[in-house]
Amino acid sequence: MGLLIDGHWHDQWYDTKSNQGRFVRSESQFRNWVTATGEAGPTGDSGFKAEPGRYHLYVSLACPWAHRTLIMRALKGLEEMISVSVVDYLMAENGWTFEDEMDGATGDRLYGLDYLYQLYLKADSTYSGRVTVPVLWDKERETIVSNESADIIRMFNTAFDDCGAKPGDYYPAELRESIDEINAQVYDSINNGVYKAGFATTQGAYEQAVYPLFEMLDRLEERLSQQRYLAGDQVTEADWRLFTTLIRFDAVYHGHFKCNLRRIVDYPHLWDYVRELYQWPGVADTVSMVHIKGHYYASHTMINPTGVIPVGPVLNLQKPHTRNQL
Ligand SMILES: N[C@@H](CCC(=O)N[C@@H](CS)C(=O)NCC(=O)O)C(=O)O
């Protein structure tokens, strides 16, 4: 794994030494928005109008951030409008690659590139920063619209509604305040919390992440014993943002990232909730346990030097849920 500095690739791991062993996530840099009219969004430049066939999404099936965008693309029925390339699950010395031998990996469907960093260089030949998925690419202007999943799912939620997207609003105006509050807590302690625990290189940094993570899971278990979804009785983006971490939890975060006070299957309501979301039409097709387990266990050789991928756990995600009783 590595990063680009002034347009040159450097193979290096995250620098935790300058942060007392803590993993500090860097901010995404491409922050434009596709909008219905092509006007600028909350950040970035104008000129990215929603049009079928114009945009392409680069994802890893392993990545929880990219996974949000694939789910929103499916929920809004954007499969025909927004094409996708899937990177190989292994992220090694060249970062994400377009190897296409592995089932599910597609190669670069637009340009036949070898590495994702080459796409970043196509957008900005002097780019400095991490080369992350997801990437929303504009085929017309040949540039990156956004590499921030939180923004991309909001674009998918509404921008393509006049182009024939499926109905459904996952960020409704009346729930925005509560969704934003839930998102902030879930991001810090759960979505990013598992990474802070897993990539910590000191005992203190690990414990500072792992206890708040489980405190938050305990609180959500309580909340989801009373209500069907995080923001009430309607599914919202807050649920899908939580889902992509929960679905990976028992398979990778519990073992590989040492988040092992409890498993999701040990929380009756969270486990029931994950199964409801997994069984949601179109969602199971976005989940690849092969890419998920393969990526984490084989790519992070400083955590798992042998690269051996565990065969378990056995999870019965198809077991009927009982959330409709709430
Ligand atoms: N804030 C970004 C984070 C994306 C992210 O960190 N993706 C990971 C994969 S799970 C990645 O590509 N990491 C490569 C790296 O850090 O070098 C988002 O939500 O879109």
Side-chain angles (χ1 to χ4, degrees):
M1 87 135 52
L3 78 173
L4 286 169
I5 302 173
D6 297 328
H8 296 283
W9 179 255
H10 295 259
D11 177 20
Q12 66 189 53
W13 186 243
Y14 297 118
D15 171 24
T16 56
K17 281 223 176 70
S18 46
N19 298 299
Q20 294 83 43
R22 284 196 292 269
F23 165 68
V24 180
R25 186 174 290 282
S26 36
E27 290 285 326
S28 309
Q29 297 185 42
F30 294 92
R31 302 297 289 266
N32 306 301
W33 289 66
V34 174
T35 58
T37 57
E39 280 173 282
T43 52
D45 299 333
S46 63
F48 299 99
K49 186 177 177 345
E51 290 170 64
R54 175 166 167 183
Y55 300 96
H56 189 81
L57 189 60
Y58 285 91
V59 296
S60 156
L61 300 181
C63 168
W65 319 99
H67 194 180
R68 302 166 165 181
T69 66
L70 271 187
I71 290 174
M72 200 56 75
R73 173 175 172 265
L75 296 176
K76 293 293 295 188
L78 303 176
E79 292 94 333
E80 299 294 312
M81 284 186 228
I82 300 172
S83 47
V84 170
S85 292
V86 179
V87 297
D88 186 55
Y89 73 55
L90 190 68
M91 191 177 66
E93 68 277 10
N94 292 307
W96 294 114
T97 78
F98 290 112
E99 285 285 330
D100 59 3
E101 306 257 291
M102 170 66 54
D103 228 22
T106 62
D108 174 14
R109 285 182 158 147
L110 295 187
Y111 304 108
L113 299 174
D114 294 322
Y115 308 120
L116 186 66
Y117 75 74
Q118 297 168 322
L119 189 80
Y120 274 69
L121 291 178
K122 219 170 154 53
D124 176 359
S125 60
T126 60
Y127 176 82
S128 292
R130 305 218 68 91
V131 173
T132 55
V133 283
V135 170
L136 185 63
W137 181 262
D138 180 0
K139 298 181 206 172
E140 192 177 294
R141 288 171 60 173
E142 300 208 298
T143 195
I144 297 176
V145 179
S146 172
N147 67 341
E148 175 48 53
S149 63
D151 297 350
I152 298 171
I153 62 172
R154 295 228 172 125
M155 299 174 210
F156 288 0
N157 185 46
T158 52
F160 295 86
D161 284 0
D162 293 339
C163 305
K166 277 191 189 156
D169 183 357
Y170 300 91
Y171 188 52
E174 66 282 8
L175 292 177
R176 283 186 187 172
E177 218 173 296
S178 126
I179 292 172
D180 288 345
E181 194 184 318
I182 298 163
N183 282 348
Q185 292 171 351
V186 167
Y187 172 81
D188 187 50
S189 54
I190 300 184
N191 300 141
N192 199 34
V194 293
Y195 281 92
K196 288 192 281 186
F199 288 153
T201 53
T202 61
Q203 187 68 30
Y206 160 69
E207 290 187 19
Q208 261 173 32
V210 82
Y211 287 118
L213 162 66
F214 281 94
E215 275 160 31
M216 189 65 188
L217 286 174
D218 293 350
R219 279 169 53 194
L220 295 184
E221 171 72 4
E222 173 61 27
R223 178 187 284 234
L224 291 169
S225 71
Q226 315 283 336
Q227 61 190 60
R228 189 154 174 180
Y229 305 109
L230 288 183
D233 57 9
Q234 150 182 16
V235 76
T236 67
E237 65 162 44
D239 298 293
W240 298 112
R241 289 171 49 128
L242 175 62
F243 171 75
T244 66
T245 298
L246 296 186
I247 195 76
R248 286 160 176 74
F249 202 94
D250 291 0
V252 289
Y253 302 143
H254 181 267
H256 184 65
F257 276 179
K258 308 185 184 76
C259 300
N260 62 357
L261 281 175
R262 288 174 279 288
R263 300 167 302 175
I264 300 305
V265 294
D266 300 323
Y267 287 101
H269 300 288
L270 278 174
W271 174 227
D272 209 19
Y273 166 84
V274 174
R275 295 201 316 281
E276 173 177 21
L277 295 180
Y278 179 79
Q279 291 163 25
W280 205 275
V283 171
D285 287 346
T286 66
V287 178
S288 165
M289 281 299 172
V290 171
H291 280 240
I292 291 172
K293 291 202 298 185
H295 166 68
Y296 286 89
Y297 282 101
S299 304
H300 304 152
T301 48
M302 76 303 300
I303 301 175
N304 185 36
T306 61
V308 171
I309 303 165
V311 294
V314 176
L315 296 171
N316 187 1
L317 287 158
Q318 294 293 4
K319 185 177 149 201
H321 67 85
T322 60
R323 301 293 293 166
N324 31 13
Q325 292 167 10
L326 275 175

